[in-house]
Amino acid sequence: MSSLCAAQTYTVTDLAPLSGDDYSVVRGINATSQVAGAVGSDRNNTSAVSLYSAGQLSSLGTLGGSSGIGNGINASGQIAGYSTNAAKTYRAFLSSGGTGGGTLTDIGDLGGGSAVAYGLNDAGQVVGSAVTADGSNHPFLYSNGVMTDLGTLGSPSGNAWWNSAQGVNKSGEVVGTSYDAAGNFLGFRWKNGTMTKLGTLGGSWSEGFAINNKGQTTGIAYTKNNFTAHAYLCSAGKMTDLGTLTGALFTSWGLSINDSGVVVGYSDYQDTYHAFVYSGGKMKDLNKLISPGSGWVLLQAFGINNSSQIVGTGTHNGAEHGFLLTPK
């Protein structure tokens, strides 16, 4: 078989937990292969923000509480995520960046005392969800020291319904999920002060998880009769159903997309999950694209960069570890 026909395969780097920790998870990767996530201890019920950089995994700690996770990392090494503080309240943070990740700084909230961050861009703009003064959850965009409430698709005020921003590109376009006035949750795209529904795959609901620098988005959307929900690729207003892995029953999730429109995520698979990559019109099981007998089960792919390196979480010889896949 010629190389033009052969499937892309990957080498696996084990981002194993630090000494004293039981597990590691990873969520985001930047252009220089720095990876953000968390390390934790099941025995102590604790976790801390982690950074993988220059071949080393390190802990950046928390905002003073017992848990924390880095969900995204930009070209400057800044990490966005959330952590508990000493009062056991969840707070959104942005790190100062650099090769060592820097220090974590609480970026505030929308008046309700709590916030979480899920993504950021290279300009250091951060998106997530924060509690408002009336107890609602609203998506936010944090930029130049100011947290802005992006509003909703009509979600009633004064309730705890979850409305969240998940990703932001270099142009400041945001993708996320909001409830409407009828109580349906729908993926949205926010641009220049206007929030627009992303639509569905024929069902009633959808969620938006990631946006690339071309404005393409991915997430999950329900199909006709709401019996199944599939990962999608939305480009120029058209939502494409990415399907599921062979052997899956109902559901797949699109979690990250690079500027080439390559999507990664995970699909249900028999009685577990398997991580996938979608490119060239096909969804491929990442477990079939690594060396057999490696001891790995790649469960979820959370991030992909423009060099097609992929990060996620799986099990290695039965233990929960983060992984980094690099194309061969």
Side-chain angles (χ1 to χ4, degrees), residues 215-229:
Q216 296 173 305
T217 63
T218 192
I220 183 173
Y222 282 75
T223 61
K224 187 177 180 181
N225 299 321
N226 299 321
F227 184 65
T228 60

Side-chain angles (χ1 to χ4, degrees), residues 163-206:
N163 304 286
S164 177
Q166 296 283 329
V168 57
N169 67 12
K170 67 179 182 181
S171 300
E173 296 174 280
V174 179
V175 69
T177 305
S178 173
Y179 281 87
D180 64 15
N184 296 309
F185 59 90
L186 294 164
F188 71 77
R189 180 175 174 179
W190 182 94
K191 181 180 181 180
N192 297 328
T194 300
M195 184 177 288
T196 305
K197 296 178 182 179
L198 289 176
T200 73
L201 292 171
S204 303
W205 311 295
S206 63

Side-chain angles (χ1 to χ4, degrees), residues 1-9 279-280 282 284 328:
M1 181 181 292
S2 71
S3 61
L4 292 176
C5 297
Q8 175 68 67
T9 56
S279 64
K282 295 182 179 180
K284 302 154 194 168
K328 290 183 178 180

Side-chain angles (χ1 to χ4, degrees), residues 201 205 219-232 241-254 266-274 276 283:
L201 292 171
W205 311 295
I220 183 173
Y222 282 75
T223 61
K224 187 177 180 181
N225 299 321
N226 299 321
F227 184 65
T228 60
H230 293 169
Y232 65 80
D241 187 340
L242 304 191
T244 62
L245 293 174
T246 301
L249 296 176
F250 303 109
T251 312
S252 60
W253 293 258
Y266 64 102
S267 170
D268 66 341
Y269 182 83
Q270 298 174 359
D271 60 349
T272 185
Y273 298 115
H274 273 193
F276 74 75
M283 181 180 288

